[in-house]
Amino acid sequence: MTVSDSRPGPYLVVGLGNPGPKYAATRHNIGQMVLDHIAGAVGARFATARRAQAVVVEGRLGLPGSDQRVILAKTTTYMNVSGGPVKALASYYDIPPERIVVVHDEVDIPFDTLRMKSGGGEGGHNGLRDITKALGTKDYLRIRVGVGRPGGGRDTADHVLAPFSATERRTLELLISDAADAVESVVLEGLTASQQRFHSPEAR
């Protein structure tokens, strides 16, 4: 990823989470962990965004000549008011909803599993619900990173706001790396090809 080039048609990749060290290692913040991984892999550092409550990295994904301009963004608001920053970033960079990729935690998918889709429901995810409301459409891309549902009658909100278990942490870095690869795949190869690759049983 580099920071120059004026070719049109960037993608906006948003990692959802809550601000501050209290939430940094929780399941709800895995979207931001994925973006940290992408930025760290290329030695990029997030900087305060213009006209939006977010931090961003501007660059490119892919090999020179076949690469794609992207804006990586982590909102600095709480999860349930993610829509305002996403809309502000999309407006500032002139990015339509179909070129917005939101990376988020998903309780309806088992831990260590990835799913991708465009549009559809929010499944009770307050961050997605607010983005849909702000954009006025459900038709944006989602990288759904499975964190599983809680067991033993535990409250779902408590589950996503808690750190990963010791067992989960053994494979967490691989899951984050795979989700980062899924982001690059969606941006460079499109949704259908990425679903075929990452949804197969042999994907891991």
Side-chain angles (χ1 to χ4, degrees):
M1 191 190 307
T2 62
V3 294
S4 63
D5 203 310
S6 58
R7 279 179 282 179
Y11 275 80
L12 173 62
V13 182
V14 181
L16 296 189
N18 286 312
K22 176 181 177 181
Y23 298 104
T26 65
R27 294 180 179 92
H28 225 20
N29 276 47
I30 195 164
Q32 296 197 351
M33 296 177 198
V34 172
L35 264 66
D36 284 336
H37 179 92
I38 297 171
V42 295
R45 302 183 70 174
F46 285 91
T48 302
R50 298 177 183 177
R51 303 179 188 175
Q53 291 177 283
V55 291
V56 298
V57 166
E58 298 183 43
R60 306 195 73 86
L61 292 176
L63 298 173
S66 61
D67 52 356
Q68 171 64 55
R69 185 181 173 218
V70 295
I71 293 89
L72 306 179
K74 299 189 298 181
T75 57
T76 55
T77 61
Y78 282 97
M79 175 77 79
N80 63 348
V81 287
S82 300
V86 173
K87 182 178 180 180
L89 289 166
S91 297
Y92 180 76
Y93 290 102
D94 193 24
I95 299 174
E98 61 269 21
R99 296 177 77 88
I100 296 174
V101 183
V102 178
V103 188
H104 65 91
D105 61 305
E106 179 58 75
V107 297
D108 289 328
I109 297 174
F111 174 75
D112 208 19
T113 303
L114 296 175
R115 291 290 181 267
M116 287 156 275
K117 70 176 184 177
S118 175
E122 292 84 23
H125 195 292
N126 289 331
L128 294 178
R129 183 181 293 118
D130 199 61
I131 291 170
T132 295
K133 180 180 177 182
L135 295 177
T137 180
K138 298 175 182 287
D139 295 331
Y140 51 91
L141 297 157
R142 300 102 183 269
I143 307 290
R144 307 162 71 202
V145 186
V147 297
R149 285 199 171 273
R154 187 183 185 192
D155 183 73
T156 300
D158 291 339
H159 175 68
V160 297
L161 292 175
F164 289 94
S165 69
T167 300
E168 290 169 335
R169 287 197 296 272
R170 293 173 190 160
T171 56
L172 180 59
E173 286 304 316
L174 180 57
L175 175 61
I176 291 171
S177 177
D178 284 349
D181 289 345
V183 168
E184 184 168 7
S185 179
V186 165
V187 168
L188 297 178
E189 302 172 32
L191 178 61
T192 300
S194 300
Q195 289 173 326
Q196 291 172 348
R197 174 182 170 190
F198 286 91
H199 291 188
S200 69
E202 295 79 21
R204 297 296 299 274

